[in-house]
């Protein structure tokens, strides 16, 4: 039962609890302001295409928390994940002076990736341009991009890939056998990186000399490390080391081209470089100039090595954690291995008889999303799904978000290759991008990874020697800090 109180008693209570009442009042005002702000944002977003987010100070923006995420064992995507929780799937931020919008949908991916060169283009940091070169397929204009892409496509023809598979398979078998006999643990990532580099050097330029391979590998790594660094030419910095390494690589390429043209290498090597040099007498539109050859040789060595190696590393981890999937895959590859003569190489026909193997790799790429987002720059003001994008803004197609969308992939954290039995929604699976800039080496990457899993699962079981799931700090792509070390056990 409530009791009435006098005016004097009420004033006494107010004075006695003054501090508490003030705090309660301020808290109520704060809550009301926060709720009204959210409501305003929601209303503004629906009526004016407002994209939530925090831009912060000019240039600086949220660069510091982004770099903190990059340098952590949680990976740079932690920066994206936290902002998506705070603002929703669509959000904007400012990093290194540029406004970035993260696009989380298949419709957004379709509009951006299918309109490359028309409404959107790639945006490059100065360090990347300086390291890769202005004649690279990655950096040239639309017209030159099509010409260079067409001339490079010979490398990925079925005849070239068939020859590559045979050489890669032979090298892989030899190295796995040596590791098995040694009985020691090895990092899957490091092993795959070296395999990818050595096989590409062999295919592109017939380089097999161990000393030259290791020197080139060291310099290519320095260039890769410098791509996203601050472009400051001070001794000791990543950029300085990368530019110096690029100059050494260019000298090696220049000397190699000169020796071949002078006839010092006879018989002529049957490799990709020689196929380009045979076009010397062709019309300028039907051949590559020397700077274009050299920039794109380096681009090819850099572009697929880390992404393919990281995917192979993740596939071993996921197979180790999902024994049933591993058993199904082993059954498929053994049925092929037992139908072939002992010691026979893997062929394109064998690759086509391994549909489950490809699904395992697709599921690996979906969950790991080694290429987490695809950055583009808006060439004019535009609207994507009702959200207003200004000219010059960076729009990032968020592949990782799309690949883990529960509406597209039920129970997305579960490793389930059989989900690829069903027809996918367009632009819901984009590990190789899409549109005019679809990865040129998609088939080579696919075959390399499938041959690797074929040899690994048909001849060996393995134990993972470090179960730490921490990611490597300062890595361009998400990969385990441990590199996924394993010990092979012959079947």
């Amino acid at each position: 039962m409530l009791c009435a109180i006098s005016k004097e008693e009420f004033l006494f209570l107010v004075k006695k609890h003054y501090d508490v009442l003030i705090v309660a009042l301020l808290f109520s005002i704060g809550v009301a302001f926060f709720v009204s702000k959210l409501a305003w944002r929601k209303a503004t977003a629906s009526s004016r295409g407002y994209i939530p987010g925090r831009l912060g100070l000019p240039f600086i923006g949220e660069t510091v928390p982004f770099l903190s995420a990059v340098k952590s064992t949680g990976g740079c995507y932690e920066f994206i994940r936290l902002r998506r929780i705070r603002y929703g799937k669509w959000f904007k931020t400012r990093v290194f002076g540029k406004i970035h919008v993260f696009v989380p949908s298949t419709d957004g991916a379709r509009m951006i990736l299918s309109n490359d060169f028309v409404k959107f283009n790639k945006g490059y940091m100065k360090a990347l341009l300086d390291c890769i070169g202005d004649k690279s397929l990655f950096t040239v204009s639309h017209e030159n991009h099509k010409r260079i892409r067409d001339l490079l496509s010979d490398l990925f023809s079925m005849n070239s890939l068939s020859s590559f598979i045979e050489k890669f398979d032979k090298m892989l078998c030899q190295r796995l056998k040596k590791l098995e006999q040694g009985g020691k643990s090895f990092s899957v990532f490091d092993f795959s990186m070296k395999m990818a580099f050595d096989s590409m050097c062999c295919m592109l330029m017939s380089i097999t000399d161990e000393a030259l391979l290791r020197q080139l590998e060291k310099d290519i790594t320095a260039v890769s490390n410098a791509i996203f660094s601050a472009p400051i030419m001070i001794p000791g910095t990543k950029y300085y080391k990368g530019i110096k390494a690029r100059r050494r690589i260019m000298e090696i390429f220049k000397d190699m081209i000169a020796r071949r043209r002078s006839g010092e290498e006879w018989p002529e090597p049957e490799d990709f470089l020689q196929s380009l040099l045979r076009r010397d007498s062709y019309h300028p539109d039907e051949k590559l100039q020397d700077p274009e050859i050299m920039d794109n040789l380096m681009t090819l060595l850099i572009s697929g090595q880390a992404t393919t190696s990281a995917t192979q590393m993740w596939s071993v981890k996921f197979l180790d954690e999902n024994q049933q999937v591993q058993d199904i895959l082993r059954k498929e590859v053994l049925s092929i291995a037992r139908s072939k003569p002992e010691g026979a190489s893997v062929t394109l026909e064998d690759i086509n008889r391994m549909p489950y193997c490809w699904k395992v790799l697709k599921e690996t790429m979906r969950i790991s999303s080694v290429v987490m987002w695809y950055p583009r720059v808006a060439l004019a003001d535009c609207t994507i799904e009702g959200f207003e994008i200004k000219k010059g803004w960076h729009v990032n197609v968020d592949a990782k978000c799309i690949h883990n969308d529960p509406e597209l992939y039920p129970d997305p954290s579960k490793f389930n290759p059989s989900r690829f039995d069903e027809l996918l929604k367009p632009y819901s699976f984009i590990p190789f991008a899409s549109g005019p800039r679809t990865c040129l080496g998609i088939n080579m990457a696919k075959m390399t990874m499938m041959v690797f899993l074929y040899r690994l699962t048909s001849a060996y079981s393995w134990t993972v020697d470090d179960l730490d799931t921490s990611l490597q700090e300062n890595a361009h792509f998400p990969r385990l800090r441990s590199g996924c070390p394993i010990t092979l056990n012959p079947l």
Side-chain angles (χ1 to χ4, degrees):
M1 183 175 180
L2 297 175
C3 298
I5 60 174
S6 66
K7 180 179 179 182
E8 290 76 10
E9 289 174 321
F10 174 75
L11 292 174
F12 173 77
L13 289 171
V14 169
K15 289 179 180 178
K16 184 178 180 180
H17 301 288
Y18 179 78
D19 293 343
V20 176
L21 289 170
I22 290 296
V23 170
L25 179 63
L26 292 175
F27 178 77
S28 299
I29 293 172
V31 169
F33 175 76
F34 180 73
V35 171
S36 64
K37 189 173 182 180
L38 285 178
W40 176 81
R41 278 184 175 179
K42 185 175 181 181
T44 307
S46 60
S47 61
R48 303 181 193 173
Y50 173 82
I51 302 173
R54 182 174 181 273
L55 299 182
L57 295 172
F59 186 79
I60 298 173
E62 296 191 294
T63 302
V64 173
F66 177 76
L67 289 176
S68 296
V70 170
K71 294 177 181 178
S72 74
T73 56
C76 64
Y77 199 80
E78 185 68 6
F79 174 88
I80 312 302
R81 188 185 71 83
L82 292 176
R83 276 143 191 81
R84 189 155 277 134
I85 291 173
R86 187 180 306 164
Y87 302 116
K89 282 192 170 183
W90 281 81
F91 75 92
K92 65 176 180 286
T93 183
R94 193 198 309 269
V95 178
F96 294 115
K98 306 294 184 181
I99 294 177
H100 290 259
V101 176
F102 281 81
V103 181
S105 64
T106 55
D107 289 342
R110 177 191 289 107
M111 178 173 180
I112 294 168
L113 298 179
S114 66
N115 283 289
D116 258 325
F117 300 110
V118 181
K119 297 180 179 179
F120 305 92
N121 204 352
K122 275 195 171 184
Y124 298 102
M125 297 171 62
K126 184 179 185 302
L128 186 145
L129 287 167
D130 293 344
C131 290
I132 295 294
D134 59 5
K135 305 299 182 184
S136 165
L137 183 68
F138 285 176
T139 58
V140 292
S141 65
H142 187 195
E143 295 75 17
N144 281 332
H145 181 275
K146 187 179 185 308
R147 178 179 64 85
I148 292 174
R149 188 182 178 97
D150 287 345
L151 291 170
L152 293 179
S153 63
D154 285 348
L155 175 63
F156 306 102
S157 67
M158 286 300 107
N159 286 338
S160 295
L161 289 176
S162 181
S163 173
F164 172 76
I165 287 175
E166 184 176 349
K167 293 176 182 177
F168 178 82
D169 183 41
K170 183 178 180 181
M171 185 186 299
L172 177 63
C173 289
Q174 291 172 346
R175 296 190 181 186
L176 287 176
K177 189 68 176 177
K178 187 176 180 180
L179 288 168
E180 173 209 325
Q181 292 170 344
K184 293 183 179 180
S185 176
F186 67 95
S187 161
V188 175
F189 180 78
D190 292 342
F191 173 81
S192 299
M193 284 283 284
K194 190 172 181 180
M195 272 293 308
F197 185 81
D198 291 359
S199 58
M200 282 296 289
C201 281
C202 179
M203 183 181 187
L204 292 173
M205 299 166 284
S206 299
I207 297 175
T208 56
D209 178 74
E210 185 66 17
L212 180 56
L213 282 171
R214 301 292 69 86
Q215 178 59 51
L216 267 176
E217 183 181 32
K218 181 181 177 181
D219 285 340
I220 287 289
T221 300
V223 173
S224 297
N225 291 338
I227 284 174
F228 300 111
S229 65
I232 304 172
M233 199 63 176
I234 298 177
T237 63
K238 288 183 179 179
Y239 180 79
Y240 179 89
K241 293 176 182 177
I243 295 300
K244 290 288 187 180
R246 172 185 163 81
R247 291 171 184 169
R248 289 192 295 270
I249 293 168
M250 292 297 107
E251 286 302 316
I252 290 173
F253 289 168
K254 191 182 296 182
D255 179 63
M256 189 180 299
I257 290 171
R259 282 190 287 107
R260 293 198 182 194
R261 285 205 175 107
S262 67
E264 289 181 38
E265 293 191 15
W266 189 262
E268 290 183 349
E270 289 300 322
D271 54 32
F272 185 60
L273 174 59
Q274 198 62 37
S275 71
L276 294 176
L277 296 181
R278 290 187 184 123
R279 291 175 169 264
D280 278 352
S281 60
Y282 286 29
H283 186 276
D285 289 341
E286 298 175 343
K287 67 178 181 179
L288 295 180
Q289 303 299 325
D290 285 2
E292 293 174 326
I293 291 175
M294 295 189 294
D295 277 359
N296 284 287
L297 283 175
M298 187 164 69
T299 299
L300 289 168
L301 287 175
I302 290 175
S303 58
Q305 185 188 17
T307 51
T308 301
S309 300
T311 301
Q312 290 175 188
M313 176 204 69
W314 287 112
S315 69
V316 172
K317 177 184 183 294
F318 293 145
L319 285 171
D320 184 70
E321 295 171 345
N322 296 271
Q323 189 60 50
Q324 185 179 6
V325 173
Q326 186 181 149
D327 291 341
I328 297 172
L329 174 60
R330 182 169 284 114
K331 182 179 179 181
E332 178 179 78
V333 298
L334 283 176
S335 69
I336 296 171
R338 288 166 179 161
S339 68
K340 297 169 65 69
E342 186 175 350
S345 296
V346 181
T347 64
L348 287 175
E349 290 74 20
D350 297 329
I351 296 291
N352 293 329
R353 291 167 59 196
M354 295 192 286
Y356 191 75
C357 182
W358 180 228
K359 290 172 189 173
V360 167
L361 287 164
K362 288 170 78 173
E363 182 70 340
T364 298
M365 290 184 281
R366 182 191 70 80
I367 293 182
S368 64
S369 292
V370 171
V371 181
M372 293 173 285
W373 64 81
Y374 298 98
R376 298 292 187 269
V377 178
L379 299 178
D381 290 356
C382 62
T383 301
I384 303 177
E385 294 186 45
F387 293 98
E388 293 181 359
I389 307 294
K390 300 297 183 182
K391 178 182 178 180
W393 282 12
H394 289 238
V395 286
N396 302 320
V397 177
D398 194 334
K400 190 172 183 67
C401 182
I402 293 171
H403 290 166
N404 288 274
D405 187 340
E407 293 184 6
L408 298 170
Y409 299 100
D411 196 4
S413 61
K414 182 181 180 181
F415 188 78
N416 177 23
S418 295
R419 70 171 79 245
F420 286 95
D421 293 343
E422 306 296 328
L423 189 64
L424 297 177
K425 182 178 180 180
Y427 291 86
S428 63
F429 183 67
I430 48 174
F432 299 100
S434 189
R437 289 190 186 270
T438 299
C439 176
L440 186 61
I442 179 173
N443 287 325
M444 178 176 286
K446 173 183 176 179
M447 293 174 186
T448 298
M449 294 185 293
M450 290 183 74
V451 171
F452 172 77
L453 285 187
Y454 172 90
R455 288 301 179 189
L456 186 68
T457 55
S458 65
Y460 305 97
S461 63
W462 64 88
T463 54
V464 176
D465 302 317
D466 188 341
L467 300 178
D468 182 14
T469 58
S470 299
L471 299 182
Q472 177 65 47
E473 305 94 326
N474 293 311
H476 300 332
F477 306 101
R479 63 181 179 90
L480 294 169
R481 183 167 57 173
S482 67
C484 193
I486 65 172
T487 302
L488 295 177
N489 307 299
L491 290 179

